[in-house]
Amino acid sequence: MSDSYVLHYQHPAACWEEVLPLGNGRLGAMVWGDPEHETIGLNEGTLWSGYARDKNKPGALSALPEVRRLVFSQKYSEAQHLLEKEMLGEFTEGYLPLGNLKIQSHFHGETTAYRRELDLADACTRVSYRKSNVEFRQTCFISYPHRALLIRFTATEKALDITTRFQSELRCMVQADAAGIEINGQCPEHVDPSYTNTPDPIQWGEKGIRFAAVLSLLHTDGHAVSDGESLRIQDASDIILAFTAVENPDVRETYSQLGFDGIYQAHKKDYQQLFERVALDLGPQLDLPVDERLKRLQAGGEDPGLFALYFQYGRYLMIAGSRPGGLPMNLQGLWNWEMRPPWSCNYTTNINAQMNYWPALSCGIAECMLPYFAFLQKLCENGKKTAQVHFGCRGFSLSHNTDCWASTQPVGSIHGHDEAEKGSGQYAFFPLGGVWMCQLLWRYYEYTGDQVFLRHMAYPILKEAALFCVDFLVEHNGKQVICPSASPENAFRTANGETSSIAYASTMDMTLTREVFDHFQKMCAALEIDDPLRKEIAAKLEALYPYQIEKYGQLQEWCEDFEEVEPGHRHLSHLYGLYPSELFEGDSALREACRHSIDRRLAYGGGHTGWSCAWLANLFAVLGDAESAYHQLHTLLTRSTAPNLWDLCPPFQIDGNFGGTAAIAALLVQDRGGNVKLLPALPKAFANGSVTGLHIKGGKAVDLRWADGVLIEKHIYDCEK
């Protein structure tokens, strides 16, 4: 048994979903651990296709009145067709892989005593093995303070003989000498999404992002030679390499001052001051490879410690993927290996980008949210033009996709095409995506009490979101409604058999509107600001379209009790008021309707993607249904988790990791609607355990210990500033 948080394996990675990820919020690495043909996949968070340009669609606003007329005339499919033709702009750009370090070993022999691991205690990967009685070791970590990937090879004899090359699908010039490898490259001007079929999906030119990277040989007791393209180091027992990209700090000077151990200690101190805030013990950590533990769980074995490891892995991934100075985490966090990755590896803002940050506050790593908020500022600024051009509104609008350029237009059309793809309105039209992203502004203040953040960051952005909702609402039959309105990626069938995704007053949109109005009013009160917008909001609030209960007792998803095209749909958008929002706290009727909605979704196969399963776990947790929440978490690990514990949508999509982490925290502590609940949804599988450092609102943290399902010790205290 082991009580440490270590992912370990007895073989190298055989596929990308088995690699071990490292990161510092900007630089990412994926370590395969092959003793003879090592590959370290590399990412730099700012390397995307495209360039800054306006992708809003001129003339979109002229179609809005007719789209609304068609919706209110119950001609929903016609409204969607017109919206797709006139109101949707170009697809966003894609996140790109930087390349691969290929490291070939020329020392041959049978490999024995192999071990590959990621130690969450110090954010290092280690590979160890034996060949011909020589012990080899490889250690990698990425330092946030030094903005560098450090790679160290050691051997018990001077048996190290390696050749290192850099390979990339980006256009690169590579020049090597005995001191290292220099890389200068350029990204493409545009990449079409992988789900489109185009003859020339990757378009090169002079406008794409340019970058530089360096692999530096910092130390060896052997000797180095180069053929101009690769670096070979021979007759060595110690080799230290460093890789830097884009910013290219002078890592050689840092090494001369600190040495490898000094850089490692600084990295460890920086990382641990975040990671060590929370500890979770659900039972001993079995001294078995993670892939074997997953198989045991799938076969019906018990392993509560694996859930604690999964929880801490989620916190690790957030620290590795989101640090100040970088972009927020995208669909795959920081790690991507394809030029045309799934869904362009961009930001999907109808659940996924937001779910990435669900555990940040409760799990004690609020600093990791700062890239999210910095990016939201850019989205707010760009989205003001989208609000005007597409909807004739004040404030800012963002639909379901964005990219590093902070594009805010509703997408749907291929580059160079005037009309959007048929059916794209089902997923692409969600003009309140930016409103959803703003939810975390007030929540961050509730947890941290940061008045400077509230006044200078949160209030200006949230005001623009509230302005958009005020202006986008329209009167219909005496009620204020959002129109056109969708429930993200879902579709309904009308009485005459037509299928559409566009109607008015979807429950999701109306809930988002209520919440942004609520948060804005609370912000004004906290800041003692008498903003005139409050009067406009008050007038709209009184007439907002009410929540409805459907014939099966569930919360109605659209303006009418439509038949769902897919009753087991993966999205649970209409349940937003239950979670992640707190609007339904204390309303037993709405909570019961949400429960009926969940039951119906599951009866038809809902929760079949990793992130959807994680969302269900959170919903059950806030309903206090411990066993159902645990069932979803168990399903998440046994059905939607890769051998390296990455979430599978499928394919790999990191949001499920963070949703799962948030759900585990919610089983133990909840602070919602003004009430703190301790062990509100503790499942029988976690009957004994302890947790330290889970955060609640008001700048406080909680330590708990329980046995046989009963709380036996609690400590609530102020967090260190």
Side-chain angles (χ1 to χ4, degrees):
M1 300 291 187
S2 171
D3 291 326
S4 59
Y5 304 119
V6 179
L7 287 71
H8 73 92
Y9 306 83
Q10 294 179 333
H11 54 80
C15 62
W16 199 73
E17 291 80 8
E18 295 181 3
V19 301
L20 296 177
L22 297 169
N24 67 355
R26 283 287 296 270
L27 188 61
M30 298 154 283
V31 182
W32 289 68
D34 190 317
E36 299 200 6
H37 299 281
E38 175 64 300
T39 298
I40 299 179
L42 298 166
N43 285 111
E44 210 290 332
T46 63
L47 295 189
W48 290 64
S49 63
Y51 53 94
R53 59 191 177 94
D54 184 359
K55 289 187 175 182
N56 291 298
K57 187 167 184 177
L61 179 59
S62 62
L64 180 58
E66 178 62 9
V67 169
R68 281 177 167 162
R69 188 193 69 79
L70 290 169
V71 167
F72 292 143
S73 300
Q74 299 184 325
K75 298 179 179 179
Y76 302 113
S77 59
E78 291 182 42
Q80 180 169 337
H81 176 73
L82 180 60
L83 183 148
E84 290 170 354
K85 181 180 179 181
E86 302 292 346
M87 296 188 69
L88 302 185
E90 187 180 315
F91 287 119
T92 56
E93 296 295 339
Y95 179 50
L96 304 172
L98 172 56
N100 295 305
L101 285 181
K102 308 290 287 188
I103 304 169
Q104 181 181 357
S105 172
H106 304 287
F107 186 91
H108 302 296
E110 182 182 359
T111 299
T112 60
Y114 180 92
R115 180 182 170 97
R116 176 173 61 102
E117 70 175 36
L118 168 62
D119 191 342
L120 304 186
D122 64 358
C124 288
T125 63
R126 295 179 176 89
V127 180
S128 59
Y129 53 91
R130 187 179 294 114
K131 282 188 178 185
S132 302
N133 295 321
V134 179
E135 295 182 4
F136 294 85
R137 190 175 183 86
Q138 171 190 316
T139 302
C140 300
F141 65 88
I142 298 183
S143 170
Y144 176 70
H146 307 107
R147 295 172 290 165
L149 164 66
L150 275 292
I151 310 167
R152 187 172 197 173
F153 299 93
T154 61
T156 53
E157 299 177 12
K158 284 201 167 187
L160 290 171
D161 182 358
I162 62 171
T163 297
T164 300
R165 295 179 172 84
F166 176 80
Q167 297 178 348
S168 178
E169 293 183 77
L170 303 179
R171 291 185 172 176
C172 295
M173 294 290 293
V174 177
Q175 186 173 358
D177 58 25
I181 301 174
E182 293 187 2
I183 302 128
N184 288 278
Q186 187 171 22
C187 300
E189 287 188 353
H190 174 73
V191 175
D192 285 328
S194 59
Y195 47 82
T196 62
N197 184 16
T198 55
D200 187 21
I202 301 176
Q203 299 174 22
W204 299 92
E206 296 302 313
K207 297 178 182 178
I209 294 172
R210 296 181 182 273
F211 66 92
V214 177
L215 178 70
S216 302
L217 175 58
L218 299 182
H219 165 79
T220 184
D221 59 356
H223 63 274
V225 296
S226 175
D227 60 5
E229 295 181 353
S230 63
L231 169 65
R232 184 167 183 175
I233 307 163
Q234 301 169 280
D235 303 321
S237 65
D238 193 13
I239 300 170
I240 301 175
L241 302 167
F243 185 85
T244 57
V246 180
E247 294 176 322
N248 285 328
D250 190 350
V251 71
R252 292 183 186 277
E253 181 178 345
T254 302
Y255 179 79
S256 68
Q257 295 173 353
L258 299 177
F260 181 86
D261 289 341
I263 294 175
Y264 165 74
Q265 290 298 331
H267 151 76
K268 183 179 177 181
K269 180 180 179 181
D270 167 77
Y271 168 75
Q272 289 185 342
Q273 62 90 20
L274 292 170
F275 184 77
E276 291 188 343
R277 292 175 184 171
V278 177
L280 176 61
D281 180 6
L282 296 175
Q285 293 294 329
L286 302 181
D287 192 16
L288 292 172
V290 169
D291 49 349
E292 292 186 17
R293 294 177 72 178
L294 286 170
K295 290 177 182 176
R296 287 181 77 253
L297 199 66
Q298 291 168 352
E302 295 183 1
D303 190 353
L306 183 58
F307 290 84
L309 180 64
Y310 184 88
F311 170 85
Q312 290 289 45
Y313 184 59
R315 296 182 67 249
Y316 164 81
L317 289 173
M318 182 168 292
I319 298 169
S322 186
R323 299 294 299 273
L327 287 166
M329 293 177 290
N330 57 51
L331 279 173
Q332 295 177 340
L334 186 61
W335 303 276
N336 168 42
W337 76 109
E338 295 179 272
M339 286 290 284
R340 297 181 72 198
W343 304 287
S344 299
C345 200
N346 58 21
Y347 301 98
T348 304
T349 57
N350 63 18
I351 176 59
N352 315 99
Q354 296 90 337
M355 185 181 283
N356 280 356
Y357 289 90
W358 280 1
L361 294 169
S362 62
C363 295
I365 40 181
E367 296 93 326
C368 293
M369 300 182 73
L370 297 181
Y372 178 96
F373 294 134
F375 188 57
L376 186 52
Q377 280 185 312
K378 297 178 182 178
L379 291 170
C380 179
E381 191 59 34
N382 290 354
K384 290 176 185 177
K385 185 168 184 179
T386 299
Q388 295 169 359
V389 171
H390 284 258
F391 307 108
C393 295
R394 296 172 296 173
F396 91 100
S397 176
L398 164 69
S399 269
H400 97 297
N401 260 169
T402 187
D403 52 24
C404 78
W405 308 106
S407 301
T408 53
Q409 77 285 351
V411 305
S413 64
I414 297 172
H415 179 60
H417 292 227
D418 290 331
E419 295 186 16
E421 297 281 274
K422 185 178 180 180
S424 58
Q426 180 169 344
Y427 61 85
F429 188 76
F430 182 49
L432 269 63
V435 177
W436 186 348
M437 289 195 73
C438 287
Q439 186 211 35
L440 291 170
L441 292 167
W442 176 249
R443 201 70 74 224
Y444 182 89
Y445 171 72
E446 285 187 302
Y447 274 81
T448 66
D450 188 336
Q451 282 272 332
V452 174
F453 169 85
L454 187 69
R455 184 176 298 275
H456 298 290
M457 173 75 82
Y459 172 74
I461 299 174
L462 197 78
K463 180 173 181 177
E464 299 298 331
L467 273 170
F468 179 75
C469 288
V470 165
D471 283 7
F472 197 48
L473 286 165
V474 62
E475 192 275 335
H476 178 63
N477 290 338
K479 297 296 182 183
Q480 290 289 317
V481 302
I482 296 292
C483 182
S485 178
S487 192
E489 302 190 32
N490 206 353
F492 58 85
R493 188 172 287 110
T494 63
N496 62 8
E498 291 186 335
T499 297
S500 180
S501 300
I502 302 300
Y504 68 91
S506 76
T507 298
M508 176 56 154
D509 281 348
M510 300 312 297
T511 309
L512 285 169
T513 300
R514 285 182 169 88
E515 183 181 61
V516 76
F517 288 171
D518 176 60
H519 285 182
F520 182 73
Q521 290 171 325
K522 288 176 178 176
M523 278 190 190
C524 289
L527 294 170
E528 297 182 344
I529 295 174
D530 186 17
D531 195 307
L533 180 59
R534 296 173 71 181
K535 292 183 179 179
E536 293 187 65
I537 287 174
K540 297 282 185 177
L541 268 173
E542 293 180 3
L544 287 181
Y545 192 84
Y547 296 115
Q548 305 285 336
I549 307 298
E550 289 189 353
K551 56 180 174 290
Y552 300 111
Q554 75 266 35
L555 187 64
Q556 190 167 291
E557 189 162 359
W558 291 280
C559 55
E560 297 182 34
D561 192 357
F562 293 121
E563 177 188 351
E564 293 177 275
V565 173
E566 186 184 352
H569 197 264
R570 60 195 176 277
H571 281 261
L572 301 150
S573 306
H574 58 310
L575 308 184
Y576 177 89
L578 180 62
Y579 186 90
S581 178
E582 298 177 12
L583 286 181
F584 294 176
E585 284 293 306
D587 191 319
S588 58
L590 287 177
R591 288 168 63 88
E592 182 66 18
C594 288
R595 179 61 196 240
H596 284 303
S597 295
I598 295 169
D599 291 344
R600 182 169 167 79
R601 276 284 202 272
L602 288 173
Y604 285 89
H608 48 272
T609 65
W611 57 262
S612 182
C613 187
W615 196 349
L616 282 165
N618 281 280
L619 288 165
F620 280 124
V622 301
L623 286 171
D625 187 338
E627 299 312 315
S628 294
Y630 174 76
H631 174 74
Q632 293 301 322
L633 286 167
H634 188 277
T635 301
L636 183 64
L637 264 68
T638 56
R639 187 193 63 194
S640 300
T641 296
N644 66 352
L645 295 187
W646 267 343
D647 170 66
L648 299 175
C649 181
F652 164 50
Q653 199 169 286
I654 205 166
D655 38 35
N657 283 103
F658 300 121
T661 297
I664 292 172
L667 300 180
L668 308 177
V669 177
Q670 294 176 23
D671 189 350
R672 296 170 51 80
N675 296 311
V676 176
K677 299 178 182 178
L678 307 180
L679 303 184
L682 185 70
K684 295 176 182 178
F686 300 163
N688 301 287
S690 64
V691 67
T692 60
L694 285 181
H695 284 213
I696 57 176
K697 296 173 185 177
K700 296 183 181 296
V702 178
D703 298 348
L704 303 175
R705 187 164 63 89
W706 61 94
D708 296 324
V710 177
L711 181 65
I712 58 176
E713 187 177 334
K714 67 177 180 179
H715 183 208
I716 300 176
Y717 52 94
D718 291 330
C719 300
E720 294 182 8
K721 300 296 183 183

